Amino acid sequence: MLAQLQFPAVMGILNVTPDSFSDGGKYASLDLALEYARHMIDEGVDIIDIGGESTRPGAAPVTAAEELGRVVPLVRSLRQISNIPLSIDTSSPEVITAAAEAGANLINDVRALRREGALEAAAASCLPVCLMHMQGNPETMQMNPHYVDLIEDIKVFFEQRIAACLSVGIREEQLILDPGFGFGKTPEHNLRLVNRLSEFKILGRPLLVGLSRKSTIGKILESSLREKKQGLKQELLIGSVAGALIAVNNGASIVRVHDVAATVAALKVRKAVETEKADH
Ligand code: 7PJ
């Protein structure tokens, strides 16, 4: 799947949790989720990321059974209407195995396959894996994020997780790395990660970045939102698209976003400018 993808690629978020980050769980039922997936395909999405566990700060854990019930029927149904690459945002070995059987194309794990049995399930699935960095766990990660050296600490984490993957037979070519914006990071940490993203390229793998509608973007825009009394959603969309564009310019291969059409448009403009550079 990875070899077929054109970079930069847009990963559209499809949350199927009752309390998801930004869509209020609107797509909790199968039909609505399918309709929304079709909508993202029309907008030009490259990968759809299906999530059945909320990892928002402080979110309550879900059982594998709940997650399976949310994710697997959707993968199966989507597979019948489209061959769009499907990514599964999960840490659960049971979900990895069942989603792979149902036709998923990528495992996206915010815990980087650290849950018991996850490495083995991912290896058995033969699917590519996105390894995301998170300090702590979703219940406590925003309490007091601390690093000796932010970039170096995350690099060491990636090296350890890559080694763990290789030890169970997952090939390096199957891996994607994600610094995990907002997962055990202050707003300053998040901004530094955007600036220094290209330093992770030394690890030789494509980088995935998810800034979309995260609280750091909201915090940057807070004062202007108050002054103008404008709709939060529109400003967050524009801020998120700007973030995605900067991330791509700084080395991201895949951007994980809520607002597919706007991100696709921004990346088209970027591509036109880049093409002119290559032509002359
Ligand atoms: C991310 C994710 C991210 C990857 C979430 C949200 C929170 N997976 N899943 N990277 N964030 N790979 O969408 O705000 O940043 S859930």
Side-chain angles (χ1 to χ4, degrees):
M1 193 282 289
L2 269 188
Q4 276 99 51
L5 267 188
Q6 303 251 33
F7 293 147
V10 175
M11 172 185 269
I13 300 168
L14 181 49
N15 281 323
V16 281
T17 58
D19 66 337
S20 56
F21 258 65
S22 305
D23 60 20
K26 238 186 318 191
Y27 302 106
S29 86
L30 185 61
D31 283 350
L32 281 173
L34 275 173
E35 187 184 313
Y36 191 65
R38 274 203 197 90
H39 176 67
M40 287 200 284
I41 293 169
D42 289 342
E43 291 182 325
V45 79
D46 299 299
I47 310 166
I48 295 178
D49 188 43
I50 299 170
E53 179 206 10
S54 175
T55 45
R56 63 187 298 165
V62 290
T63 65
E66 280 173 300
E67 222 189 311
L68 281 169
R70 293 171 186 166
V71 169
V72 176
L74 179 56
V75 174
R76 229 176 253 132
S77 307
L78 258 173
R79 199 69 308 161
Q80 275 162 15
I81 61 163
S82 168
N83 52 18
I84 192 88
L86 297 177
S87 153
I88 308 302
D89 195 338
T90 191
S91 300
S92 148
E94 292 91 334
V95 176
I96 291 173
T97 304
E101 273 168 20
N105 307 95
L106 170 71
I107 307 301
N108 172 28
D109 186 5
V110 299
R111 295 179 184 80
L113 303 179
R114 284 178 291 168
R115 198 173 268 174
E116 197 181 339
L119 271 172
E120 293 74 14
S125 79
C126 296
L127 293 179
V129 180
C130 176
L131 299 171
M132 196 196 79
H133 174 270
M134 165 163 55
Q135 185 178 77
N137 54 57
E139 293 88 74
T140 56
M141 65 190 179
Q142 290 311 106
M143 284 175 184
N144 187 21
H146 176 79
Y147 296 85
V148 177
D149 177 328
L150 177 72
I151 306 298
E152 200 48 41
D153 290 3
I154 295 177
K155 251 194 232 167
V156 167
F157 173 86
F158 283 149
E159 282 164 354
Q160 288 169 347
R161 296 318 298 158
I162 292 170
C165 286
L166 297 181
S167 76
V168 293
I170 300 172
R171 287 177 300 116
E172 195 150 8
E173 298 76 51
Q174 298 276 72
L175 299 176
I176 298 170
L177 304 175
D178 181 340
F181 289 90
F183 286 86
K185 280 117 190 156
T186 63
E188 292 70 27
H189 289 145
N190 289 323
L191 297 178
R192 197 180 311 151
L193 283 174
V194 179
N195 276 325
R196 297 183 57 184
L197 197 60
S198 66
E199 294 180 38
F200 298 115
K201 299 258 260 192
I202 191 146
L203 298 167
R205 301 307 310 143
L207 303 176
L208 189 154
V209 165
L211 291 164
S212 188
R213 300 190 199 167
K214 287 196 174 159
S215 70
T216 296
I217 305 278
K219 287 210 176 80
I220 295 167
L221 301 173
E222 233 161 43
S223 59
S224 71
L225 291 175
R226 261 199 307 274
E227 280 158 27
K228 289 192 256 162
K229 293 199 169 63
Q230 230 175 358
L232 176 76
K233 215 181 152 188
Q234 180 72 356
E235 292 251 323
L236 270 181
L237 181 156
I238 297 166
S240 299
V241 172
L245 190 58
I246 298 166
V248 169
N249 275 346
N250 288 0
S253 293
I254 305 173
V255 281
R256 182 179 176 278
V257 307
H258 297 87
D259 303 291
V260 171
T263 309
V264 167
L267 291 180
K268 266 191 190 160
V269 173
R270 178 186 176 276
K271 188 176 176 187
V273 175
E274 290 288 309
T275 304
E276 191 281 336
K277 213 192 285 175
D279 286 348
H280 292 278

